Amino acid sequence: MLEEGLQRRTVALIAIRSVVPSLMRSPGGSKTTADSSRGQAARRADTVGPRFRLHNLTVSYRTTQGILESVRDLLARIAPEQVPTRSLRSGERPRTVTTPADGLVAAVVQELRAQSAGHPGELLGVICAASRVSELTVQGIAHHARIVPASEARGLEFDGVVVVDPDEIVTARPGGERDLYVALTRATKRLCSVTVHPRQGSVGKS
């Protein structure tokens, strides 16, 4: 009887692990699903049963209020049912650097050097479309910051983030706007987006 009971318990744990692997990541069997859709959360509740409780997070402890305000329109497009969160953090206003296509790498390096000089020792991340990673790596960007494809940025955070060519991230794959939202909300202090201007010209900042 004891052996049979243990077998049943093992099978049940395997089933939960296979359906809801993220629930096994914390000692209490809990998981914050801030980046998940309400539908996904509801399906998890149906699977796990009464142990699952769904809470809508309305306060962000990671990024700044300025960053949250800058992505509010994007959030409304990708998740119209989501209530915008507010942040307890304040910080620098998100900035945009515009550059011609042939000046993109130079603009990213310039921004990273400025952030490193102004805030030595902080963790910097460069988030871009997956197709852009090899080029940035060859150009030595990894000496200044960690390079992350936007499709793999979920759950990460950096003191400062440089988002490379947001339009390219959006068009890189289906659900690109969601990837962009994740990319733009990985910074805990500073966010800079480097956009590509269709016309030749000098690098400009806003």
Side-chain angles (χ1 to χ4, degrees):
M1 292 293 291
L2 177 60
E3 183 177 354
E4 183 180 351
L6 288 173
Q7 286 176 339
R8 279 204 212 103
R9 186 174 182 183
T10 301
V11 170
L13 287 172
I14 292 173
I16 291 174
R17 230 186 229 110
S18 64
V19 176
V20 197
S22 59
L23 288 177
M24 309 308 294
R25 294 178 190 167
S26 63
S30 62
K31 169 68 176 176
T32 301
T33 58
D35 288 327
S36 299
S37 69
R38 180 180 276 284
Q40 288 175 323
R43 286 193 293 275
R44 288 179 177 179
D46 291 340
T47 301
V48 179
R51 288 184 57 222
F52 186 96
R53 288 181 296 173
L54 175 62
H55 297 277
N56 292 321
L57 300 183
T58 58
V59 178
S60 170
Y61 296 93
R62 178 180 61 239
T63 195
T64 68
Q65 183 63 27
I67 291 174
L68 290 180
E69 290 174 356
S70 73
V71 298
R72 189 157 291 173
D73 290 344
L74 177 58
L75 178 63
R77 290 199 302 274
I78 63 176
E81 76 287 353
Q82 174 109 8
V83 177
T85 57
R86 61 184 177 85
S87 177
L88 300 181
R89 289 173 175 260
S90 59
E92 299 178 19
R93 186 170 63 93
R95 296 180 301 110
T96 299
V97 173
T98 303
T99 178
D102 58 3
L104 180 64
V105 172
V108 173
V109 171
Q110 180 180 335
E111 175 62 27
L112 291 173
R113 284 177 173 167
Q115 290 205 30
S116 294
H119 310 278
E122 292 194 344
L123 183 63
L124 302 179
V126 170
I127 304 179
C128 59
S131 59
R132 182 76 66 173
V133 171
S134 295
E135 176 192 358
L136 296 182
T137 302
V138 168
Q139 294 295 330
I141 299 297
H143 293 304
H144 304 279
R146 180 179 172 184
I147 305 172
V148 182
S151 57
E152 300 176 16
R154 186 174 303 232
L156 302 179
E157 60 181 52
F158 304 91
D159 296 308
V161 168
V162 177
V163 176
V164 179
D165 198 348
D167 288 343
E168 186 175 56
I169 292 174
V170 169
T171 59
R173 66 173 192 154
E177 283 195 323
R178 289 182 177 273
D179 288 343
L180 178 59
Y181 178 82
V182 172
L184 293 171
T185 54
R186 297 306 95 192
T188 62
K189 297 179 181 179
R190 285 172 303 282
L191 171 66
C192 177
S193 298
V194 179
T195 63
V196 176
H197 200 285
R199 298 187 300 274
Q200 294 294 318
S202 59
V203 173
K205 293 188 178 182
S206 63

